[in-house]
């Protein structure tokens, strides 16, 4: 029996490389918690938009690509690759670092035939559609795969009545906050370019790493002979994933109820652009 055809087909894949940044070092050392993230998967986030009335698909693709190129100039480590450095004397892996050689990011233009916004959003409390996994590049890649894969990959999937932008962001190079800082900078650059304004980031990135005192200077040494000894690939068991919709009104009611019923102060926060619900307890 033939396997079902994929819901998403790739139109074209681009390599987006920024112009050289004279301030970029040749390598970026990893902190202890960065090194601990070599085996987990890439961060995946997605945004869903209706078709804009004032832009063509070609204009959207061109603006996203050109502004991504400029964003990578400022966030230059995201254009690099992860590399394991081997000691010549002992032959073991000395450390893992990010090489800032400007290899670039990946930008994919794809089309989901016959799929619309209503199919993506789904019904409240229903299982996620299987095709949603095809909206994200580098699915199931672990962070150490950034030695051969880009550290950032973007897939723009064209729907019947909208556009889904899926992102893969290497967790070694940054966390969720770092990702959204980069994304917001990318959006800011796109707006500046569209308006013909000079690009000046309102929140420039900070690339300096902090290392715990008393543990020696970077790089952090790893006592392994090959990456196969410290990279673990995890395949999750079959899981059912469901989608839940939260309105701003329901979140406000939940926050008020939590504050009424407890002498502690709870802060309910929806993550920027993600819709993820975070709950903080202030004691």
């Amino acid at each position: 029996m033939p396997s079902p055809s994929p819901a998403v087909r790739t139109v074209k894949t681009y390599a987006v490389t920024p112009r050289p940044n004279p301030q970029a070092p040749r390598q970026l050392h990893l902190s202890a918690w960065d090194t601990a993230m070599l085996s987990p998967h890439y961060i995946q986030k997605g945004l869903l938009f209706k078709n804009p009335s004032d832009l063509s698909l070609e204009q959207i693709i061109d603006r996203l690509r050109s502004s991504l190129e400029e964003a990578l100039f400022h966030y230059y480590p995201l254009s690099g690759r992860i590399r394991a450095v081997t000691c010549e004397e002992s032959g073991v892996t000395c450390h893992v670092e990010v090489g800032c050689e400007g290899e670039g990011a990946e930008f994919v233009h794809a089309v989901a035939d016959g799929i619309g916004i209503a199919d993506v959003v789904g019904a409240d409390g229903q299982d996620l559609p299987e095709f949603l996994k095809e909206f994200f590049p580098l699915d199931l890649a672990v962070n150490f795969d950034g030695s051969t894969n880009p550290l950032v990959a973007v897939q723009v999937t064209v729907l019947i009545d909208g556009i889904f932008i899926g992102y893969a962001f290497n967790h070694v190079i940054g966390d969720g906050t770092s990702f959204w800082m980069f994304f917001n900078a990318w959006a800011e650059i796109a707006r500046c370019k569209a308006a013909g304004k000079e690009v000046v980031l309102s929140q420039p990135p900070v690339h300096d790493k902090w290392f715990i005192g008393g543990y020696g200077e970077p790089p952090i040494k790893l006592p392994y002979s090959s990456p196969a000894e410290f990279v673990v690939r995890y395949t999750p068991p079959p899981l059912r994933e469901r989608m839940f919709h939260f309105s701003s009104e329901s979140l406000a009611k939940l926050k008020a109820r939590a504050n009424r019923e407890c002498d502690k102060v709870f802060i309910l926060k929806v993550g920027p652009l993600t819709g993820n619900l975070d709950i903080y307890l202030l004691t």
Side-chain angles (χ1 to χ4, degrees):
M1 182 177 179
S3 59
S5 59
V8 177
R9 57 183 175 87
T10 299
V11 177
K12 190 171 183 179
T13 300
Y14 304 86
V16 180
T17 55
R19 68 185 189 279
N21 189 329
Q23 298 180 348
R26 295 188 61 85
Q27 76 277 338
L28 185 69
H29 292 303
L30 301 182
S31 64
W33 37 86
D34 296 330
T35 304
M37 298 304 296
L38 289 170
S39 291
H41 295 141
Y42 275 57
I43 297 174
Q44 291 183 330
K45 302 292 182 183
L47 297 174
L48 180 62
F49 300 93
K50 294 181 179 179
N51 282 331
S53 58
D54 57 340
L55 290 174
S56 67
L57 176 61
E58 291 74 17
Q59 289 175 314
I60 293 172
I61 297 296
D62 182 66
R63 288 189 184 183
L64 287 175
R65 284 178 54 208
S66 62
S67 55
L68 176 59
E69 182 178 312
E70 179 68 21
L72 291 172
F73 170 79
H74 298 278
Y75 285 77
Y76 54 81
L78 301 183
S79 295
R81 296 291 184 271
I82 291 174
R83 60 191 180 196
V85 180
T86 303
C87 294
E88 296 182 0
E89 299 82 5
S90 62
V92 301
T93 300
C94 278
H95 65 277
V96 179
E97 63 186 23
V98 175
C100 303
E101 304 294 341
E103 290 90 340
E106 181 178 271
F107 187 96
V108 180
H109 172 199
V111 174
D113 296 313
I115 297 176
I117 291 178
D119 301 312
V120 176
V121 174
D124 188 33
Q126 296 298 310
D127 291 351
L128 293 180
E130 284 295 323
F131 63 76
L132 206 56
K133 297 177 181 179
E134 299 180 43
F135 284 10
F136 293 93
L138 302 180
D139 188 43
L140 297 181
V142 300
N143 293 306
F144 187 76
D145 291 336
S147 56
T148 53
N149 291 325
L151 302 184
V152 171
V154 180
Q155 180 174 315
V156 179
T157 303
V158 181
L159 312 176
I160 296 175
D161 53 353
I163 294 175
F164 188 96
I165 305 179
Y167 309 87
F169 186 87
N170 195 290
H171 213 321
V172 165
I173 200 65
D175 57 8
T177 300
S178 303
F179 167 82
W180 288 116
M181 285 184 61
F182 168 70
F183 178 84
N184 288 328
W186 180 13
E188 186 177 22
I189 290 169
R191 290 192 296 269
C192 289
K193 284 181 169 290
K197 299 180 180 179
E198 181 183 1
V199 175
V200 179
L201 295 183
S202 58
Q203 190 174 8
V206 177
H207 300 302
D208 295 335
K209 294 286 187 178
W210 182 71
F211 293 86
I212 300 175
Y215 286 85
E217 296 297 322
I220 296 177
K221 301 297 190 298
L222 300 176
Y224 300 106
S225 59
S226 73
E229 295 183 32
F230 60 83
V231 176
V232 179
R233 297 183 183 275
Y234 169 71
T235 302
L239 299 173
R240 292 182 64 184
E241 300 175 280
R242 289 194 166 184
M243 182 178 297
F244 296 94
H245 304 166
F246 295 92
S247 66
S248 57
E249 293 79 8
S250 64
L251 291 178
K253 291 179 181 178
L254 187 57
K255 176 181 177 181
R257 178 179 175 181
N259 288 333
R260 285 195 309 268
E261 297 181 359
C262 184
D263 57 357
K264 309 293 185 181
V265 178
F266 289 87
I267 298 179
L268 272 65
K269 176 185 176 184
V270 178
L273 302 179
T274 66
N276 292 336
L277 179 63
D278 301 322
I279 301 178
Y280 300 89
L281 172 61
L282 303 183
T283 59

